[in-house]
Amino acid sequence: MPARKGPLLIPLSMLGARPYLVVDYLPFDGLALTLSQRKQIGRAVRFLAAQLRGNSAPVRVRLVGHTDSTGAIAHNLALGRKRAEAVRGAFLASILRQAPWLAPRITFDVLSRGEAEPIASNRTPGGRGRNRRVVVFLDIQGSSAADLPQVRALGPSGGPTRPPSARTCCILAPTTSPRTANNNLLEPSNLGVHRGASETTGLIYHPQYGFLDLGHIRDHCDLTYFLYAHIANSGGKTGTVKTVNSTATITKPVPPEMWVLVARSIAYDDGLGHEIHSYANRLVPGMHNSSFSPEDLPSNFIGTRVGENALRRGGDFSAAVTASLQNLLFGAAALKDTRQAFDNINGCWVSFTDPRSLLDADYLLRRNFTRVPWKAPRVRNAIPSSWMFEDLTPAAAFYDFIYNEGRRIPKSTFTAEFANIRQDAAKRYGASYDQWGPCSVGP
């Protein structure tokens, strides 16, 4: 699998929070970098050097090594560090070749997460390849945060003061009414104005992102906005912020360059908490039979990203979300093609015959526990944008989180909750419960 063409071109003021470079598909149980990966690192160094000419700020490079889940935990933790060291060596060698004036200003931090933070399923060769990676973060000390959204950009009121309520969202089905075909599917040209009378919710298929739930996306846009306003209006100070169903406690001051990322991370955790809570409820349609539906976590994450984009646009937030959604959904499938994508996964991901199927607690046959988009077979598909793999984990150092709907679910227990749900899902739905394929259905 070829390496990505990075680096990720993002503002210097955000480099400490976002990945600058991802070197993935490293060899199984190995460290060796391919020629393509070394060229990838070389391009990243050239871009960095071009940005820093005439700037004397020190640079801290943090390299985090990751592995797939094959092998012992201790072995993988050591292997992740060795991989990070290998990329560090290649990064430094490229600096010495291309921009030796930069070398004295750079400090390296080498870390490992081992197998603990997968971004894809470890059950497929492709997923394991993406998990075998080194993620590079940069911190340009003293860089300006002038391009970040500030409190003054939130409007006369300083942004929302009450947490948004969730919209009625959409189970993975073409219709929820026995009288109306495809009423749950959307035309991408007719989404309406965000939070306006014309706003639409429903499902749409995109070649890059798979099925998208516009209700989830809009909810997470609004939640990111609310959380950002709280953090920004407090100046990033410690304290508690409550959503409708959760409580986040800011445990240490949040610097301005992290305000958006922390808001997005809390919003995403809120969505995760809901999925965990709903899995146990087999009595109410739209709970267990929609929990961890293939489109849920990708839609939640995309919603936080669209919310950030809207904040950066400034001005009226609803108008900015409307514009950002139009940009995001460029190239989305028409309604008839979204229906075709659904027909191609029916009988594989879900079991739909008519709206009465939605009353079955086991309607959903496969569940996506990641934000990696699942793609329907035999339709036009494309590689997701690199921002789908942004790392939210740096934000977690600034807050504690508890989801409170139904029962108390601290973020510290999410890993154990996932393990229990996976164990149950494997028993109920078989070995492919968390896989998008194979799907031997459709025309």
Side-chain angles (χ1 to χ4, degrees):
M1 182 68 66
R4 293 194 187 93
K5 292 185 178 180
L8 309 179
L9 306 184
I10 56 179
L12 290 181
S13 56
M14 288 299 294
L15 287 176
R18 303 285 177 78
Y20 177 65
L21 177 68
V22 180
V23 182
D24 53 7
Y25 292 96
L26 293 169
F28 172 72
D29 204 29
L31 320 173
L33 300 174
T34 65
L35 178 60
S36 176
Q37 288 166 334
R38 291 183 181 278
K39 288 181 177 179
Q40 177 191 15
I41 292 169
R43 286 191 294 269
V45 167
R46 283 196 298 276
F47 176 76
L48 178 64
Q51 297 298 302
L52 292 180
R53 284 193 182 278
N55 180 336
S56 60
V59 181
R60 183 173 290 275
V61 180
R62 179 162 53 97
L63 304 101
V64 184
H66 300 265
T67 72
D68 61 33
S69 62
T70 307
I73 292 175
H75 173 81
N76 288 338
L77 195 63
L79 178 60
R81 184 175 183 86
K82 290 175 183 177
R83 285 175 172 160
E85 288 282 8
V87 172
R88 173 193 175 279
F91 201 93
L92 180 57
S94 185
I95 288 173
L96 293 174
R97 284 195 308 272
Q98 300 187 80
W101 52 270
L102 188 55
R105 294 162 49 183
I106 291 186
T107 302
F108 289 96
D109 295 324
V110 176
L111 305 169
S112 174
R113 298 285 187 265
E115 63 184 74
E117 295 176 2
I119 59 170
S121 171
N122 279 304
R123 295 168 61 86
T124 65
R128 290 192 293 273
R130 289 187 48 224
N131 290 334
R132 296 194 298 268
R133 70 198 190 278
V134 174
V135 184
V136 180
F137 300 88
L138 302 185
D139 179 17
I140 313 300
Q141 298 177 29
S143 59
S144 170
D147 62 326
L148 297 174
Q150 300 294 321
V151 176
R152 62 178 179 273
L154 296 178
S157 65
T161 58
R162 293 184 179 181
S165 298
R167 295 162 174 81
T168 301
C169 62
C170 314
I171 198 166
L172 183 55
T175 180
T176 57
S177 167
R179 294 181 294 275
T180 308
N182 298 331
N183 74 330
N184 208 31
L185 309 181
L186 297 176
E187 286 285 2
S189 60
N190 188 29
L191 301 182
V193 175
H194 184 70
R195 297 196 299 192
S198 61
E199 176 188 283
T200 58
T201 58
L203 299 175
I204 197 167
Y205 191 83
H206 195 287
Q208 289 180 276
Y209 311 115
F211 289 99
L212 295 176
D213 184 325
L214 266 291
H216 279 238
I217 289 176
R218 293 186 191 279
D219 284 346
H220 282 74
C221 282
D222 292 344
L223 188 54
T224 297
Y225 183 31
F226 164 73
L227 292 165
Y228 176 81
H230 176 91
I231 295 168
N233 288 333
S234 74
K237 293 180 181 177
T238 58
T240 298
V241 55
K242 293 187 176 183
T243 73
V244 171
N245 293 311
S246 65
T247 301
T249 302
I250 307 299
T251 55
K252 64 179 182 179
V254 184
E257 65 270 19
M258 294 292 288
W259 288 352
V260 176
L261 200 72
V262 170
R264 289 182 60 193
S265 183
I266 295 172
Y268 187 72
D269 284 343
D270 192 88
L272 283 176
H274 174 73
E275 299 301 321
I276 293 169
H277 160 72
S278 60
Y279 185 87
N281 189 334
R282 296 179 60 84
L283 300 178
V284 179
M287 297 295 280
H288 177 86
N289 67 342
S290 187
S291 174
F292 293 104
S293 191
E295 76 284 5
D296 284 350
L297 297 187
S299 297
N300 294 355
F301 182 80
I302 286 171
T304 72
R305 170 73 179 209
V306 173
E308 176 181 350
N309 290 346
L311 283 166
R312 293 191 183 284
R313 279 176 176 266
D316 180 76
F317 183 74
S318 294
V321 169
T322 301
S324 294
L325 278 175
Q326 290 172 345
N327 290 339
L328 170 80
L329 294 176
F330 180 79
L335 187 153
K336 66 180 181 64
D337 296 318
T338 295
R339 177 59 197 249
Q340 183 63 68
F342 176 82
D343 289 342
N344 290 358
I345 58 93
N346 190 16
C348 180
W349 300 4
V350 299
S351 181
F352 179 85
T353 53
D354 59 49
R356 289 172 297 182
S357 308
L358 308 183
L359 300 176
D360 185 352
D362 292 327
Y363 169 77
L364 187 64
L365 305 175
R366 301 200 181 185
R367 298 169 191 261
N368 184 1
F369 295 93
T370 75
R371 53 180 156 95
V372 178
W374 284 14
K375 307 297 182 62
R378 292 180 295 284
V379 297
R380 181 174 63 92
N381 287 312
I383 298 172
S385 298
S386 60
W387 55 260
M388 279 298 295
F389 310 107
E390 289 176 318
D391 187 6
L392 297 180
T393 54
F398 294 93
Y399 69 93
D400 292 330
F401 178 87
I402 300 174
Y403 190 81
N404 294 312
E405 184 182 8
R407 62 187 177 94
R408 189 174 182 274
I409 311 175
K411 181 175 180 175
S412 59
T413 69
F414 278 11
T415 299
E417 295 279 357
F418 270 49
N420 291 337
I421 290 173
R422 282 178 172 275
Q423 186 177 27
D424 179 81
K427 291 178 181 178
R428 292 182 186 277
Y429 308 112
S432 298
Y433 74 95
D434 62 348
Q435 299 296 300
W436 68 267
C439 278
S440 55
V441 297

